[in-house]
Amino acid sequence: MTKKNAFYAQSGGVTAVINASACGVIQAARENSDKIGTVYAGRNGIIGALTEDLIDTSLESDEDIAALRHTPSGAFGSCRYKLKPIEQSTAEYERIIEVFKAHNIGYFFYNGGGDSQDTSHKMALMSKKLGYPITCIGVPKTVDNDLPITDNCPGFGSVAKYVAVSIREAGFDVASMAKTSTKVFVMEVMGRHAGWIAAAGALAAEKEGDSPHIILFPEVVFDQEKFLARVDECVKKFGYCAIVVSEGLSNTDGVFLAEAGGKDAFGHAQLGGVAPVIAEIVKGALGYKYHWAVADYLQRAARHIASKTDVDQAYAVGRAAVEFALAGKNAVMPAIVRTSDEPYQWEIGEALLADVANVEKMMPPEYITEDGFGITEECRRYLQPLIEGEDYPPFKNGLPNYVELKNESVAKKLKTTFDIA
Ligand code: F6P
């Protein structure tokens, strides 16, 4: 049998460690060069497959591939592009397979969240249907931590650490100023539907009075009166109040408090800007001076303070994806399996793409305190190990020294082009 090449692509919102997964995939493939040919990366995710815009990763040095492990964001470009439902049209899948045939690609490694695992699953179905064998392996990634089955999602631990570190540091700042100036600080974090990132902020509070004092989860309907009463109570008791609010906070009608306007290819509303809304509510009702911050991309790009656990896991799922493919597995995703909380131990298990696709894992009710403003001990036990360990990137001229790949294109072989919608 002739050796097949591999396609690897990054999809959806990027993270501080998605390139560590890319590093795992490429290094494992290089170590098995007798079985796997070249790893072609999709430029801008699946769009690269559709438009035959492939990157030849074999032109990158071993050193640069190794440096991906400490470089944030998506080295090959990511995308939010939804393939049409199979029932509606199979043209895109046919096109991808045409491109794969032309480049002798037999392995599909797709690194993303829930929507991307759905794409991988559909690719596996369509490869069967169209009679061109492709081994489809999903590689988990999402800062939102909302994939099912896996203990957590690569990308989350580092965001969690950044958020906990930031609210601790900002809390110290507000505490210093509170006597005569700012009394309320609001920090907005990502997490459209699931409050995992907001919950991670609570790790910074280790004893009563520590920042943050209030967490606002997307899973808990915003109760303005109750919230204001708690803010006032904190200011009177501790001198100030530090709040972490999820971008996905909704009111009683299920409407996001802050939609920035616009929708992405998956129909997701673009969120952002709930922090100033919350700060204004506080000022209007209680008159306290405030500062607010929207962590936005800073949180998911923050490789400088990444969690070592997260980096290790992101790398491991990348390697495992290749090992799974070589073991003859198909339509699966490497999952992180927690075998012990203390000390935290984990291993790589396996999830069927069919079970992962389109399932969002929310915070379970037992992870949120009864008042709706904090996390339970059980939740803390779950989250704590995920932020453990530091894995600083190398620094040069006082800044992190990240790699920029050559990203040279593979010569096109097809005469046909494909216009993406
Ligand atoms: O899907 C992960 C995520 O980081 C969400 O938490 C956030 O709402 C979204 O991506 C932002 O997406 P984009 O970068 O496409 O605006």
Side-chain angles (χ1 to χ4, degrees), residues 13 80 142-144 190-192 197 247 264 270 297 300:
R80 290 205 186 271
T142 172
V143 294
D144 291 344
M190 284 181 166
R192 191 187 298 277
I197 302 179
E247 63 175 3
D264 69 18
Q270 186 184 347
Y297 278 7
R300 70 180 202 199

Side-chain angles (χ1 to χ4, degrees), residues 210-365:
D210 281 357
S211 167
H213 308 101
I214 299 177
I215 309 287
L216 297 172
F217 300 96
E219 288 90 348
V220 180
V221 171
F222 183 56
D223 179 335
Q224 189 163 318
E225 228 173 281
K226 200 168 133 197
F227 164 71
L228 286 169
R230 177 58 66 90
V231 173
D232 207 25
E233 190 190 320
C234 289
V235 173
K236 293 201 167 111
K237 206 163 163 191
F238 311 121
Y240 74 106
C241 181
I243 300 158
V244 174
V245 57
S246 169
E247 63 175 3
L249 185 68
S250 305
N251 65 19
T252 30
D253 304 321
V255 175
F256 291 124
L257 259 72
E259 282 196 18
K263 295 228 184 309
D264 69 18
F266 294 87
H268 304 144
Q270 186 184 347
L271 302 179
V274 71
V277 172
I278 291 294
E280 267 306 313
I281 289 173
V282 171
K283 172 95 181 162
L286 306 171
Y288 293 135
K289 181 180 173 201
Y290 62 71
H291 271 256
W292 53 263
V294 180
D296 203 69
Y297 278 7
L298 301 181
Q299 69 201 288
R300 70 180 202 199
R303 181 61 184 81
H304 66 288
I305 191 68
S307 145
K308 180 171 184 333
T309 306
D310 192 31
V311 176
D312 290 347
Q313 291 180 337
Y315 180 72
V317 293
R319 285 195 72 91
V322 173
E323 284 154 14
F324 279 13
L326 292 176
K329 298 177 196 276
N330 192 14
V332 290
M333 177 192 92
I336 297 156
V337 179
R338 182 182 298 227
T339 53
S340 141
D341 272 332
E342 275 177 52
Y344 180 55
Q345 282 171 344
W346 56 276
E347 60 192 30
I348 295 292
E350 173 183 331
L352 293 177
L353 289 177
D355 295 339
V356 178
N358 296 318
V359 180
E360 265 181 320
K361 185 179 74 184
M362 305 297 173
M363 289 264 294

